[in-house]
Amino acid sequence: MEDFSCDAGRGVDRSFARSLGSCQWVRAKQNVIVLGATGAGKSFLGGALAQAACRQGFRALVIRTPRLLQQLAVARADGTYANALARLAKVAVLVLDDFLLAPMTDVERRDLLEVLEDRYDTSSTVITSQIPTKSWHQAIGEVSIADAICDRVVHNAHVVTLRGGSMRKKKAVAPEVTETKT
């Protein structure tokens, strides 16, 4: 968390970042939703929150949502689905990075609901997404499952909206200038 940039134009003030870094939200079994454009620092903040939780003795897992859904599909096929869900339920902080980056299938929606249901009111979930929460229903697709997913995540979440340009662009390597002789 100490490396997270709290510049004025980013949308997160230092005291709020410090508050998140204290992990009181983990103790209270609350969630964090980090929104913003590509390169805004969503994944970095999600990872920093997981690391802060680990420093305070909590177990954390950071995983891209598409990869998690792929792993659950494999677990379903090889008969370890229930064990996979149980392992995810035991993690104090689960960071789902790149949430709703691509359309979800019906099975993926149901798998995600199972994960979030198992975690509701017993642990904390951090979600990073480019999609604002008001658009999640449409992006998830199926109305009743979207309602169930949002109900388990959004209502007890701290929402952080990162502003500004891509942090990757700011860190980009400057092109070399070469002189050519004619």
Side-chain angles (χ1 to χ4, degrees):
M1 287 299 298
E2 57 273 3
D3 292 336
F4 182 72
S5 173
C6 293
D7 296 339
R10 301 262 322 196
V12 180
D13 70 19
R14 191 161 306 284
S15 65
F16 183 64
R18 213 175 4 258
S19 169
L20 288 176
S22 75
C23 292
Q24 186 56 38
W25 57 277
V26 179
R27 290 177 192 84
K29 316 274 192 282
Q30 297 170 338
N31 302 317
V32 177
I33 298 171
V34 184
L35 304 171
T38 298
K42 301 177 302 296
S43 298
F44 184 91
L45 181 54
L49 291 170
Q51 185 179 70
C54 289
R55 288 179 179 176
Q56 295 194 26
F58 297 103
R59 289 182 58 219
L61 172 65
V62 178
I63 189 165
R64 292 184 62 252
T65 305
R67 183 157 297 149
L68 172 67
L69 296 172
Q70 179 186 33
Q71 288 177 3
L72 289 173
V74 170
R76 183 187 303 280
D78 71 12
T80 60
Y81 184 73
N83 292 337
L85 289 177
R87 279 192 310 275
L88 291 169
K90 291 179 184 176
V91 175
V93 176
L94 175 63
V95 180
L96 298 176
D97 194 22
D98 290 333
F99 183 66
L100 297 174
L101 192 60
M104 296 172 69
T105 67
D106 186 54
V107 171
E108 289 172 337
R109 285 188 286 267
R110 292 176 191 280
D111 285 348
L112 182 61
L113 177 58
E114 289 299 320
V115 170
L116 296 173
E117 170 61 25
D118 289 349
R119 299 181 59 70
Y120 179 72
D121 222 16
T122 63
S123 51
S124 298
T125 304
V126 177
I127 293 180
T128 72
S129 183
Q130 294 181 29
I131 311 289
T133 56
K134 67 181 180 195
S135 301
W136 283 10
H137 277 80
Q138 181 181 359
I140 291 170
E142 204 281 317
V143 175
S144 61
I145 293 179
D147 279 343
I149 288 171
C150 291
D151 190 56
R152 285 159 178 78
V153 175
V154 176
H155 301 302
N156 68 339
H158 302 272
V159 179
V160 179
T161 303
L162 299 178
R163 294 190 301 264
S166 172
M167 298 302 285
R168 290 182 192 99
K169 189 174 182 180
K170 292 179 182 179
K171 293 179 180 180
V173 176
E176 292 183 29
V177 178
T178 57
E179 286 187 35
T180 55
K181 294 182 182 181
T182 53

